[in-house]
Amino acid sequence: MTKSTDDLMKILKNTSDIDSYIEENTEDMTDGNFSQYIANLLVETDLTIAKVARRGQFSDSYLYKINEDRKTNISRDKVIQICFGFGLDAEGSRKLLRAARVGELYPRIRRDSIILFCLEKHIDVIECDKKLEAVGEKKLLRE
């Protein structure tokens, strides 16, 4: 992918033919398949499902189901846990959250800011939960 989202939006606003737009920009677009995004990320990071699950503090069977496209209704907090599992920074997490279509982290929201900080500083999900709890925000992990 070479064009930014902003670039694509500018091109889209100025196009008169959607078919030409899609043909000319296909390589810069995603098909929105979250399981494929996860599969690609596993290859890119050279991580196993078990390691991602362990680092994100969720069961590996959950990620296997996503990877096999058997689990499609995924909560935003679970996707954030997956971000921690992959060790993604804020930008990588933004892309994963967007691929999952669950809403990006927003730095104007206190809880999201704490999560973004932890992702950017590569603080693990357990420590992130401690930071969230310390300021009275909802934790990522279930009790």
Side-chain angles (χ1 to χ4, degrees):
M1 292 187 194
T2 57
K3 294 178 189 138
S4 70
T5 302
D6 288 338
D7 291 340
L8 287 174
M9 184 54 90
K10 288 175 188 171
I11 296 167
L12 183 59
K13 284 181 178 182
N14 292 315
T15 194
S16 59
D17 179 22
I18 189 65
D19 294 326
S20 296
Y21 167 82
I22 291 172
E23 184 179 322
E24 292 168 11
N25 297 288
T26 295
E27 66 183 47
D28 293 299
M29 300 170 81
T30 178
D31 65 0
N33 186 320
F34 186 60
S35 63
Q36 185 60 53
Y37 195 93
I38 292 290
N40 291 342
L41 206 49
L42 286 165
V43 171
E44 286 175 26
T45 59
D46 198 31
L47 292 171
T48 64
I49 286 176
K51 186 164 187 171
V52 172
R54 187 171 49 256
R55 288 170 46 178
Q57 296 293 307
F58 56 90
S59 74
D60 56 354
S61 65
Y62 191 89
L63 195 53
Y64 275 110
K65 288 176 185 174
I66 293 170
N67 195 43
E68 295 167 356
D69 217 12
R70 293 187 298 140
K71 177 77 175 153
T72 55
N73 188 18
I74 307 155
S75 74
R76 183 174 186 254
D77 280 358
K78 192 59 76 175
V79 176
I80 293 169
Q81 283 181 254
I82 294 169
C83 293
F84 277 100
F86 275 109
L88 299 176
D89 61 9
E91 178 62 18
S93 298
R94 182 189 64 77
K95 291 176 182 176
L96 186 65
L97 287 159
R98 185 174 280 178
R101 298 179 182 177
V102 293
E104 297 174 34
L105 292 164
Y106 190 54
R108 289 190 185 272
I109 298 171
R110 183 170 65 169
R111 180 175 188 261
D112 285 6
S113 288
I114 293 166
I115 294 167
L116 281 165
F117 174 84
C118 292
L119 288 165
E120 193 62 31
K121 303 296 183 188
H122 298 287
I123 296 169
D124 71 37
V125 69
I126 294 170
E127 289 302 313
C128 183
D129 256 11
K130 289 177 184 176
K131 291 181 183 312
L132 290 168
E133 187 175 42
V135 296
E137 293 291 343
K138 180 181 152 218
K139 298 189 315 179
L140 290 165
L141 305 176
R142 295 181 185 188
E143 301 284 330

